[in-house]
Amino acid sequence: MRRSLSRLVLAALLFSPGGAALAAEGTKKPATQWLASPAQAARAARVEAGLAPVVIEGEKPRSLTLPQWMSLYRIPGLSIAVFDKHAIVWARTYGVREAGGSEPVTLETLFQAGSISKPVTALAALHFVEAGKWSLDENINDKLRSWKLPENDFTKEQKVTLRRLLSHSAGTTVHGFPGYSVDAPMPTLVQVLEGVAPANTGPVRVDLVPGTKTRYSGGGTSIVQLMMVDQLQKPFPQVMRETVLKPLGMTSSSYEQPLPPALAVRTATGTYASGKSVAGRWHVYPEMAAAGLWTTPSDLARVAFEVSSAKAGKSQRVLSQAMTKQMLSRQSEHFGLGFQVEPGTDRFWHGGSDEGFQAAFMAFSDTGSGVVVMANSDNGFLLFDRLIASVAAEYAWPAFKPEPVSPSAQVDVLMRLKGVDTALAWYTAKHREGMKGLESGDLNQLGYRLLADGKGAEAVRVFEANAKLFPTDANAYDSLGEAQLQLGQKEAAIASYRKSLALDAGNANAVKVLEKLGVPPGK
């Protein structure tokens, strides 16, 4: 891809010895969409050209440009920062801030980081462990003041601790949070933890013996948020700003929910999978520690630099070398303290998903290398793996082995490029051949995507195929019933919900829908 000479000259200046001064004036100069030295610009072009092609049996592999992939997946905007040897080597943005709009995404555009908020929160929580404010292994209830986590039979022997909360092994409930429309009543954090109105999620409780199993829990991270506020007697965004964001120079980052006007004007607008913008542009998350960070890829790269430097004993701005090594050591099946980690390698990472936003963070602590990519679309994840794999190949990161294209991703792209008939024929053939990794969720996702697009008849066909291929899956019939109802096929829907109940007597949704239709579930 061609670059203008003036853009390359600007890039060379930014990465020259005097570049820091120029970068510091970023808010005074025109918004930037591209930063790289000429040599790195060439590498970025190879990343763009190296996206894995679509492989369709019987056809020549089909390569798409990055903008074409974005169009295929209805991703309005994308922002990426690539770093190597503890420095950003290039950063670039693509597309627009809002679906259907013309204002481009720039390097100053803020995105919601979703669950990447969690490991950044962990940095602050661990900082205060070292400051002696609390410990990793004491009962968290001993530090909670405005609310207590109810004790029960599961907590008799083993207690919920900060270590277990940060490694998702505390046995706490509530996987994630949908957030709140900008004009909706906003619950307090205690109301969220209790699951009472106007909270839109259930209560956070312990239903597994702490320390016995890894299970992702945004509810657990919200307990950490409350504990930090109770103990430090400061608003959570202030705690994060003073402890992590300001020390690391993350000037385009904030945990404030909602954002103040000065930052809100720089945000991207969230986009659903259908391509429709989120009402009010984005959701608000009182669950700040779990999902509340607004930021940019370049700012998140600073987190990676700090973790890498602290591990090497070259920085103590937030954590000591010893605590950083603990953070990056496996504490549960999949997690260190905040980040996901891969034993035997120096890779640490996390993904993020808020309403209309997706983000991915991957870094290597020994080399100071990695990539952060953010999108204002629920479909961002469909492109991230392909993009990150191309970056990893260009920079020869040995600790990263790209995952093969999943069946769900392949059937999705086939549907988008070739239509539902081709996608279903491929999936059915692979099911017949016994292909590994197939599960009912693959076609379920496809069906709901079609429903969101207003293609109810095609969605029903997909759900019918799913129920036929996975006849013992209660959810397959539940989803089929939902689609049939949307098409006005009441009798067919009743039959599908009854089949779902026969397979899973505990399907409360099926009971609720049947009762709403005036049909006793057992009749």
Side-chain angles (χ1 to χ4, degrees):
M1 189 174 291
R2 295 177 62 184
R3 305 288 173 211
S4 67
L5 179 60
S6 61
R7 188 64 59 81
L8 290 178
V9 170
L10 171 63
L13 282 170
L14 281 162
F15 284 86
S16 69
L22 179 59
E25 299 176 11
T27 56
K28 302 177 184 179
K29 296 189 175 293
T32 310
Q33 294 172 265
W34 173 248
L35 294 179
S37 67
Q40 290 295 335
R43 302 192 77 173
R46 289 198 292 271
V47 168
E48 293 175 354
L51 300 177
V54 180
V55 178
I56 302 174
E57 294 176 16
E59 296 185 16
K60 182 180 179 180
R62 184 185 302 191
S63 295
L64 301 177
T65 65
L66 185 52
Q68 286 174 329
W69 278 110
M70 290 173 63
S71 177
L72 184 71
Y73 288 136
R74 300 175 181 172
I75 299 172
L78 193 74
S79 186
I80 183 172
V82 176
F83 42 101
D84 198 41
K85 299 177 182 177
H86 307 281
I88 294 176
V89 292
W90 61 272
R92 189 174 183 197
T93 64
Y94 307 81
V96 292
R97 287 171 53 177
E98 184 169 10
S102 59
E103 191 170 356
V105 174
T106 71
L107 296 180
E108 296 78 22
T109 300
L110 274 62
F111 292 77
Q112 287 189 324
S115 288
I116 298 176
S117 306
K118 294 178 175 71
V120 182
T121 292
L123 284 169
L126 296 175
H127 171 86
F128 288 106
V129 169
E130 295 201 276
K133 294 290 187 181
W134 49 73
S135 76
L136 271 169
D137 299 307
E138 65 186 316
N139 185 346
I140 200 72
N141 268 341
D142 291 343
K143 293 298 180 179
L144 289 167
R145 298 289 180 264
S146 54
W147 174 86
K148 297 288 185 181
L149 178 63
E151 301 278 358
N152 56 29
D153 288 344
F154 296 103
T155 60
K156 281 183 177 179
E157 300 288 334
Q158 296 295 325
K159 300 300 180 180
V160 171
T161 66
L162 179 61
R163 184 188 303 276
R164 288 167 173 167
L165 289 167
L166 296 180
S167 60
H168 298 280
S169 60
T172 49
T173 58
V174 185
H175 178 91
F177 302 101
Y180 298 82
S181 298
V182 293
D183 57 353
M186 205 62 51
T188 65
L189 188 58
V190 170
Q191 288 174 324
V192 170
L193 292 169
E194 274 299 297
V196 298
N200 58 13
T201 49
V204 178
R205 297 292 186 263
V206 179
D207 66 354
L208 293 169
V209 176
T212 60
K213 184 177 181 180
T214 303
R215 185 181 63 190
Y216 195 82
S217 172
T221 306
S222 295
I223 295 173
V224 175
Q225 176 182 333
L226 186 65
M227 183 272 290
M228 293 173 69
V229 171
D230 280 350
Q231 287 294 312
L232 300 174
Q233 292 296 295
K234 293 179 180 180
F236 187 74
Q238 180 182 347
V239 172
M240 294 306 301
R241 182 174 63 252
E242 294 174 351
T243 311
V244 178
L245 306 184
K246 187 176 180 179
L248 301 191
M250 297 172 67
T251 57
S252 291
S253 300
S254 175
Y255 275 85
E256 292 180 82
Q257 292 283 334
L259 278 175
L263 289 177
V265 296
R266 293 172 50 191
T267 59
T269 296
T271 314
Y272 292 114
S274 65
K276 181 182 178 181
S277 294
V278 173
R281 302 190 59 223
W282 20 261
H283 276 191
V284 179
Y285 292 83
E287 309 91 356
M288 301 169 191
L293 177 62
W294 281 96
T295 187
T296 67
S298 295
D299 260 17
L300 282 179
R302 296 175 184 272
V303 173
F305 301 157
E306 182 63 22
V307 171
S308 297
S309 295
K311 180 186 175 185
K314 296 180 179 179
S315 176
Q316 295 189 47
R317 287 187 294 181
V318 181
L319 299 181
S320 70
Q321 183 180 36
M323 183 59 79
T324 304
K325 287 182 176 180
Q326 267 204 81
M327 184 183 205
L328 298 179
S329 298
R330 188 166 67 174
Q331 306 288 326
S332 65
E333 187 178 357
H334 305 294
F335 289 88
L337 296 173
F339 286 109
Q340 290 183 262
V341 296
E342 185 174 359
T345 77
D346 64 330
R347 184 162 73 108
F348 60 104
W349 73 96
H350 212 286
S353 177
D354 274 353
E355 194 87 351
F357 291 89
Q358 296 274 331
F361 172 112
M362 183 180 73
F364 301 90
S365 58
D366 292 343
T367 60
S369 305
V371 58
V372 180
V373 58
M374 308 185 82
N376 58 339
S377 171
D378 282 337
N379 286 339
F381 73 97
L382 293 169
L383 180 54
F384 288 170
D385 283 350
R386 201 176 300 266
L387 181 55
I388 291 171
S390 187
V391 172
E394 171 63 28
Y395 288 87
W397 293 335
F400 177 74
K401 295 180 176 59
E403 296 287 337
V405 177
S406 67
S408 61
Q410 180 68 1
V411 73
D412 179 271
V413 77
L414 283 174
M415 183 271 291
R416 294 176 189 274
L417 288 173
K418 306 286 287 186
V420 171
D421 289 339
T422 299
L424 286 180
W426 176 84
Y427 197 88
T428 301
K430 294 305 175 184
H431 187 276
R432 189 183 306 118
E433 295 168 9
M435 181 180 184
K436 292 183 178 180
L438 299 184
E439 54 186 39
S440 65
D442 302 333
L443 292 183
N444 220 44
Q445 290 179 12
L446 193 65
Y448 279 111
R449 208 157 285 142
L450 290 165
L451 273 184
D453 286 348
K455 299 177 180 178
E458 291 186 350
V460 167
R461 287 174 51 208
V462 169
F463 287 128
E464 286 175 339
N466 197 33
K468 184 176 180 180
L469 293 173
F470 300 94
T472 61
D473 190 299
N475 190 58
Y477 288 96
D478 188 288
S479 299
L480 173 58
E482 181 179 346
Q484 289 166 331
L485 267 186
Q486 287 198 24
L487 281 189
Q489 300 172 358
K490 180 178 177 180
E491 295 305 316
I494 290 172
S496 295
Y497 279 115
R498 282 176 170 167
K499 179 65 174 178
S500 180
L501 264 180
L503 292 168
D504 177 14
N507 185 350
N509 181 64
V511 172
K512 181 180 178 180
V513 173
L514 289 171
E515 289 178 345
K516 187 175 181 180
L517 293 172
V519 180
K523 298 285 185 177

